[in-house]
Amino acid sequence: MMIKTKTNRTVIVQCRLSSTRLPGKALKDLGGKPVLSWVLSSMKKVNADHYFVATDEASYEALLPVCREYGFECFAGSLNDVLDRFVSLLNTVKTQTVIRATADNPFLFYEAAEESAALFEEKNEGKSHCDYLTYSGLPHGSGVEVFSAESLKKAAGETSDPYDHEHVGPAFYNHKDRYVCEFVPAPRRFNFPELRTTIDTYSDYLRAVSIVNYMNSKGYEGPYTTEQILEACRSNSVKYPVVLVPSVVKGHGTGHLRRCLSTAAQGGFFVYIPDDKTLTETDSVIAEYVAAGLSQNQIINSIPDESYLPAIVTDTFELTENQLKELSKNRSFISIDEGSRFTDYCDYLLDIIPSYKCERIANKTESGFITMPQNVRDPAKLDSGKKVERVLICLGGEDPANLTIPAAKAFMKKFPEAKITAIVSNEQSPYVDYAGGPNIEFIKPVAGLREKLFEYDIVATHYGLTAFEAVYAGCGVILLPTTNLHKKLAEKYNFAYVGDKSISDSSLDTALCSENLYAKQFLEGDLKGDKKSLSEFLRLLANGKRMCCPVCGIMPSQPDEVISRNETRTYRRCSKCGMVYMAFTTIEDKKYQKAYFFEDYKKQYGKTYEEDFDSIKAQGMRRAGVIKTLCGPGSAGTEKNLFDIGCAYGPFLAAAVDSGFNPFGTDISDDAISYVQKTLKYPAVCSAFPEIDTAEEFGIAQFDVVTMWYVIEHFKDLGSVLRKVSSLVKKGGIFAFSTPSGEGISAVSDKDHFYQISPTDHYTIWEPGRADSILRQFGFKVERIVSTGHHPERFPSIKKSGAKPGSLKWKLTDTLSRAKKLGDTVEIYCKKI
């Protein structure tokens, strides 16, 4: 235990409960204790003689117990004149140095507070003098102020400025002509101004909850060290929050809610439960998961604002227009098992339970995310000939189709000696009074039902999680027709099911005799797969990037049409300009350094970029010939300047020289530029585009020709790139580029496969038929389109026939590809108009 010596220091924590943005935040629960307690425990680590909380009269009684618990005295003063509150407090204690913190900062760097106090005292030794000092550059909410008690009393008497009196520090630093104020750059250990740790708004509070949840997951105990706070703030769980939105609508059951609560507990996510919820079981289900370890702080009733943008993950059965208005603005929007007509709003679609509607394609379908029961029946009992002793009827607790009683009657009649158990909600009290017979019992929703399913021979339910869980547990499963959709799903996926809502004897007999009564046999392939963590996958999606059209640069108010989805990306077509673009991706940005041109290039083409130099140059000679033709008379000779953007190791620059052009190049790879400069001896600079200033770098403001070969698709900000290109090309000059074609045979014959294999750093997919309308916006007119990359082997007819290169069918297909311009790559040559 640290023995504290006389310091002449006083710690004062400023606090009130009348905050307008987040009322009562000092006493708001954070990880099981008030926010204020986190502040006090941190500041108690700072060496001082006295520890005070300075509050107002109205807040005093509520704060006093917390102050006493942490060894702080509580002082009440003026509510609005905070400066007077501090002076009044300091008149009651003899002290020299004051260390001021505020009660909305639960993650204070107490080590920085101690260091800054020592530095302040050092600056007041001997003849030197300092009135006020603070470290600048700490996370917003992790710093303190240090000042002289006597100087503050003097400053308070010299200012009548209302702003000075509403605060403390401004009485010093707004009057630097009278007071020595030092804003000292924080040591590197503490200097992270981009981070935010304060609690000023509701969104800040949720960030704080995320920080505490992260600390708990690591086993850290407060008060936290600087390094622990920084670790939490940089963690994905804090940087990329997730809000799960389950269905809490009457008639949808509790399956969606339970899945969200379970996932939130595992991943530290928030679960949004609106105040206008209609599902009667919501509170009891939440209480069940809170009792099992879910933090009550993770249940929220409003969505964070733009200051702490979460990824929204809906598990709502069917999205509504009102939900879209509330949830889909400026944030990643992910949906699980979504069946509405609004799926174009979703950045990412995850199907866990196989769906009926196949008009739309999900980004990923993975039944491995279903949490299957650990308790399963003995395989020897999976025999429809065995005696049925126990039957469970489970229709989501609320039974919107009122099938529980008909099902109970039907099963009692069929199995008079069996024990029939029906799960009903708290509202279904009439069921409890139903005198159906001695072998029927009605029970309330069961906590942990998944692990109790194996006790039943037959489970009668609807299409949903319970059905799949019961199948895996080895039960006989009969689906009841709660809705027409559920009936169709039962038919599509070969479950045994009852086809009429009266649950007649004949329909029940048909279901019991079905070969699919024990459906594990036909779902075995799906259920055997590796079990995956839904929380880990959603965390990956939360890190994903949502993007607008790279040409227009504006996020549309209505979602652009979805063109294709795959496991890592979603592509859309811009409704304004027609460009197909990557609208969502989970892939990190690629770095174009040496490995890209050597290891990565070799994986794709079987040789390094340098080894492929001559063949790339040969293509460049052909392209330079097209450009010369378009340039017209006088194109021979070195008077025409050509600027190659993304020149890599310079094969096209070499071709340009051989074709009579004066070459200049740029690339973001320093290795590539070094090769061009030192080996090829061409003028080139390492610079990002469009930031480069060619007038400064080369002494040339405009060029006769600007080229990009397989570069244009790599820009996220294509609009600014094309505007820059337009400014670099002389009137009548040529802009030429090549890129994969969205109208080639691969895209035409198998669109989704084309987008799936498209490189993850290609942000636009150019379609030759739309190129002219896009380029005219930037002052260019398309003069020539050359279809390249012809691959007969990619035509369905060749795949089906197995025709070999050189065969007649192969040659005819190649001719067709060239005639129809079905090459998988394209070169576009345009003129500045």
Side-chain angles (χ1 to χ4, degrees), residues 341-384:
R341 59 187 175 88
F342 300 115
T343 55
D344 266 6
Y345 281 84
C346 304
D347 295 307
Y348 197 96
L349 291 175
L350 172 62
D351 282 352
I352 296 176
I353 300 176
S355 64
Y356 174 74
K357 295 183 178 180
C358 297
E359 293 83 19
R360 56 89 172 160
I361 296 176
N363 290 80
K364 184 178 179 66
T365 300
E366 180 55 77
S367 58
F369 288 130
I370 299 175
T371 303
M372 295 304 180
Q374 298 295 312
N375 296 325
V376 298
R377 293 169 66 81
D378 185 343
K381 294 183 179 180
L382 302 185
D383 183 354
S384 57

Side-chain angles (χ1 to χ4, degrees), residues 202 205-206 209 242-244 270-275 296-304 310:
Y202 179 67
Y205 169 70
L206 295 185
V209 170
V242 176
V243 173
L244 301 169
F270 297 101
V271 181
Y272 172 61
I273 307 295
D275 288 332
Q296 186 68 48
N297 295 147
Q298 291 172 249
I299 308 300
I300 62 176
N301 55 27
S302 61
I303 300 295

Side-chain angles (χ1 to χ4, degrees), residues 308-506:
Y308 193 50
L309 272 180
I312 300 293
V313 181
T314 66
D315 189 356
T316 58
F317 189 69
E318 286 187 334
L319 285 165
T320 66
E321 292 188 67
N322 287 337
Q323 287 174 324
L324 291 172
K325 290 178 183 178
E326 180 183 15
L327 302 172
S328 65
K329 294 179 180 178
N330 302 322
R331 58 189 105 229
S332 295
F333 195 65
I334 300 153
S335 291
I336 300 174
D337 292 332
E338 177 54 43
S340 75
R341 59 187 175 88
F342 300 115
T343 55
D344 266 6
Y345 281 84
C346 304
D347 295 307
Y348 197 96
L349 291 175
L350 172 62
D351 282 352
I352 296 176
I353 300 176
S355 64
Y356 174 74
K357 295 183 178 180
C358 297
E359 293 83 19
R360 56 89 172 160
I361 296 176
N363 290 80
K364 184 178 179 66
T365 300
E366 180 55 77
S367 58
F369 288 130
I370 299 175
T371 303
M372 295 304 180
Q374 298 295 312
N375 296 325
V376 298
R377 293 169 66 81
D378 185 343
K381 294 183 179 180
L382 302 185
D383 183 354
S384 57
K386 293 282 185 179
K387 182 179 179 181
V388 174
E389 298 177 346
R390 297 195 66 186
V391 175
L392 176 68
I393 302 170
C394 177
L395 295 168
E398 292 185 320
D399 186 16
N402 296 314
L403 293 178
T404 300
I405 292 296
K409 289 179 177 179
F411 277 102
M412 287 169 54
K413 182 178 180 182
K414 183 66 180 178
F415 304 110
E417 296 181 4
K419 181 65 175 291
I420 313 296
T421 301
I423 295 178
V424 297
S425 71
N426 295 328
E427 279 193 347
Q428 292 172 303
S429 56
Y431 287 177
V432 180
D433 299 329
Y434 170 69
N439 62 334
I440 179 72
E441 68 170 343
F442 293 94
I443 63 173
K444 294 179 180 179
V446 177
L449 176 64
R450 179 174 62 241
E451 298 302 335
K452 298 174 183 178
L453 293 171
F454 80 104
E455 299 172 357
Y456 298 92
D457 300 299
I458 302 289
V459 174
T461 185
H462 57 71
Y463 186 88
L465 283 173
T466 300
F468 282 84
E469 292 166 352
V471 167
Y472 190 81
C475 308
V477 177
I478 295 177
L479 300 190
L480 302 181
T482 52
T483 67
N484 287 333
L485 175 59
H486 284 149
K487 181 179 177 181
K488 291 175 181 178
L489 286 164
E491 292 173 340
K492 179 174 180 178
Y493 294 104
N494 300 315
F495 278 92
Y497 72 97
V498 170
D500 63 84
K501 291 193 174 184
S502 64
I503 311 183
S504 63
D505 294 347
S506 60

Side-chain angles (χ1 to χ4, degrees), residues 508-649:
L508 182 56
D509 285 339
T510 299
L512 289 166
C513 294
S514 169
E515 61 180 6
N516 296 322
L517 178 63
Y518 291 91
K520 193 171 184 179
Q521 55 188 331
F522 68 82
L523 289 175
E524 194 71 32
D526 292 329
L527 300 176
K528 261 188 176 179
D530 293 337
K531 299 307 161 192
K532 298 175 173 62
S533 168
L534 179 58
S535 63
E536 289 180 7
F537 187 70
L538 293 181
R539 177 65 67 200
L540 172 68
L541 295 184
N543 297 2
K545 295 179 285 292
R546 186 189 207 194
M547 294 172 284
C548 61
C549 171
V551 177
C552 300
I554 300 173
M555 194 67 74
S557 56
Q558 296 294 317
D560 287 331
E561 173 195 3
V562 171
I563 296 300
S564 184
R565 297 180 183 272
N566 59 58
E567 187 168 344
T568 60
R569 285 154 288 155
T570 297
Y571 292 89
R572 299 180 184 272
R573 182 186 302 284
C574 178
S575 58
K576 184 178 179 182
C577 73
M579 177 65 78
V580 175
Y581 65 96
M582 188 190 299
F584 182 82
T585 180
T586 62
I587 305 297
E588 293 184 1
D589 292 345
K590 188 170 288 186
K591 292 180 172 52
Y592 302 102
Q593 296 300 328
K594 193 171 184 178
Y596 176 80
F597 295 104
F598 284 82
E599 290 89 343
D600 293 354
Y601 189 92
K602 190 169 185 177
K603 287 178 185 177
Q604 185 170 359
Y605 299 106
K607 60 181 74 174
T608 67
Y609 193 93
E610 195 172 12
E611 291 169 344
D612 207 21
F613 188 96
D614 288 341
S615 63
I616 300 174
K617 180 182 176 182
Q619 287 289 340
M621 293 295 295
R622 179 185 57 77
R623 293 166 181 160
V626 176
I627 293 171
K628 287 174 65 176
T629 300
L630 295 174
C631 284
S635 60
T638 59
E639 70 277 6
K640 289 197 177 293
N641 295 323
L642 181 149
F643 182 41
D644 189 26
I645 300 166
C647 64
Y649 283 74

Side-chain angles (χ1 to χ4, degrees), residues 47-85:
N47 200 19
D49 300 331
H50 309 283
Y51 298 87
F52 282 93
V53 169
T55 188
D56 58 277
E57 294 286 353
S59 305
Y60 180 84
E61 291 297 333
L63 298 178
L64 187 58
V66 181
C67 295
R68 286 175 174 170
E69 181 180 353
Y70 288 89
F72 274 68
E73 297 180 66
C74 193
F75 178 88
S78 171
L79 169 63
N80 295 318
D81 193 339
V82 180
L83 185 58
D84 178 74
R85 188 194 310 172

